[in-house]
Amino acid sequence: MQKLFEWLLIPISLAILLLILAAPLIVVYLFFRLSAEAFYQVGFRYWHALLMVFGSFLGSSVNFPLHSGTITEYPPIFLGAASILSPALDLSFPATFHPVVLAVNLGGCLIPILVSLTILVRCQVSARRAILGTLIVAAITYRMAMPVAGEGILLPVYVAPTLAAISGLVLARRLQAAPALAYISGTMGTLLGADIFNLLTPGVLAALAPPMVGPGSMGIAPRPLVLSIGGAGVFDGIFLTGIIAVLLAAFVVHFFHRSGTIISKSCTGQDR
C-alpha cells in the first residue's frame, strides 16, 4: 500500500509542479484575452484588438519626456495663481524637492488616448456625453487619489472602472453604446483626475519627490526621479480602467440583451 502511495505521489507532484510553472503563462494569456475582448466590445476587429494589446504591452517600456531638464521647484507665478484660484489650498510644502522629470508612457497613456479618440469617431459616440462622463470620473478620482513618495499616485483599483461603467450605462442613450462611453470616461477621466489634475496641484510633486529621495553625495547631483503618466504600462490605472469598465458595462448590456451579440450595434448609428 505504501509503494502504491509513493507511485501515485510522483505524478501528482509533477502535475502540481507543472501547474505552478504554467500559472504565469495562464495569467498572461487571460490578461491578453480579456483586454482583447474589451477592445472587441467597443467595435474593433479581433485581430486589431490583439494588435493594440500587444502594442500597448511593448509600449509599456517607452516613456516620452514632456520637458527638457528637470523640475526642482514650483514657479512663483504658478503658486500665486493657485493661491488665488483656491484660497483654502495648503501651500505649506517644501519650496524645493528632488529633481523630477515628467513623462508620458506609450503603452499606458498615449495608446489609450488614441483608442478613445478612435472610438469617439468610429462609434459616433456623443462628444457631450463622453465629456460629461470623463468629468464625472475625473472629479471623483481627483478627490480620492493619494500621492505616495516612491510609489506614485495611488487610487483604489475598483473606483475608476466602476464609476466609468456606471457613467457609460447612465449617459448612453442606447444601451449598446455604454461600453464605448465607459472606455472613454474611464481612460480619459483617470488620466485627467488621478494624474494631470493631481500633478498640477501644488504640493503633489513635493510629496512624490521629497528632498530626502536619492540625495547626492560628494558634490554629485542626485539622479532625477522620472514620474511617467501611465508609467506602469498595461498594468497602469489608465489602461486597466478602460478595460475593466468596458467588461463591466458589456456584462450589464449582455444581461439585458441575452439574444445575439451587441458588437455590430455598438458602432452603428449615432448616440447623440
Side-chain angles (χ1 to χ4, degrees):
M1 188 67 179
Q2 184 176 357
K3 287 186 176 181
L4 179 61
F5 178 76
E6 292 176 353
W7 278 102
L8 290 175
L9 187 61
I10 294 175
I12 293 175
S13 300
L14 288 176
I16 295 175
L17 179 61
L18 290 175
L19 183 61
I20 293 174
L21 294 175
L25 296 177
I26 295 174
V27 172
V28 170
Y29 169 78
L30 291 176
F31 175 80
F32 271 81
R33 185 70 175 82
L34 290 175
S35 299
E37 179 65 24
F39 287 125
Y40 182 61
Q41 288 289 334
V42 293
F44 291 94
R45 293 183 178 180
Y46 198 74
W47 73 273
H48 284 160
L50 287 173
L51 184 63
M52 283 188 291
V53 176
F54 190 68
S56 298
F57 183 78
L58 293 179
S60 298
S61 59
V62 180
N63 292 302
F64 296 101
L66 293 175
H67 55 88
S68 59
T70 59
I71 301 174
T72 57
E73 61 182 355
Y74 288 104
I77 188 173
F78 177 78
L79 296 178
S83 62
I84 294 174
L85 295 175
S86 302
L89 190 65
D90 182 15
L91 299 178
S92 58
F93 51 83
T96 61
F97 41 83
H98 188 84
V100 167
V101 174
L102 295 178
V104 291
N105 186 267
L106 176 60
C109 180
L110 296 181
I111 289 181
I113 292 175
L114 180 61
V115 172
S116 295
L117 294 176
T118 304
I119 293 173
L120 193 63
V121 175
R122 285 187 56 184
C123 298
Q124 298 180 321
V125 175
S126 168
R128 290 175 296 176
R129 296 171 189 270
I131 292 174
L132 179 57
T134 296
L135 293 178
I136 291 173
V137 176
I140 298 177
T141 53
Y142 172 72
R143 299 295 300 177
M144 297 190 66
M146 181 69 64
V148 178
E151 296 187 35
I153 300 176
L154 304 183
L155 182 73
V157 67
Y158 60 87
V159 172
T162 304
L163 285 172
I166 294 175
S167 297
L169 292 166
V170 172
L171 295 176
R173 178 172 296 180
R174 299 176 301 109
L175 197 59
Q176 289 82 1
L181 268 176
Y183 184 89
I184 297 173
S185 301
T187 55
M188 301 305 294
T190 303
L191 170 64
L192 290 177
D195 290 318
I196 294 179
F197 290 168
N198 266 287
L199 290 175
L200 291 176
T201 301
V204 170
L205 285 181
L208 292 172
M212 68 283 299
V213 175
S217 60
M218 300 176 62
I220 301 176
R223 186 175 182 179
L225 177 66
V226 178
L227 297 178
S228 178
I229 299 175
V234 294
F235 300 107
D236 192 86
I238 299 173
F239 186 91
L240 289 179
T241 293
I243 298 300
I244 299 174
V246 168
L247 295 177
L248 290 175
F251 174 80
V252 175
V253 173
H254 280 292
F255 180 79
F256 288 103
H257 296 77
R258 296 189 180 186
S259 59
T261 179
I262 65 167
I263 306 307
S264 59
K265 299 179 182 179
S266 63
C267 284
T268 57
Q270 297 185 357
D271 183 44
R272 304 291 181 187

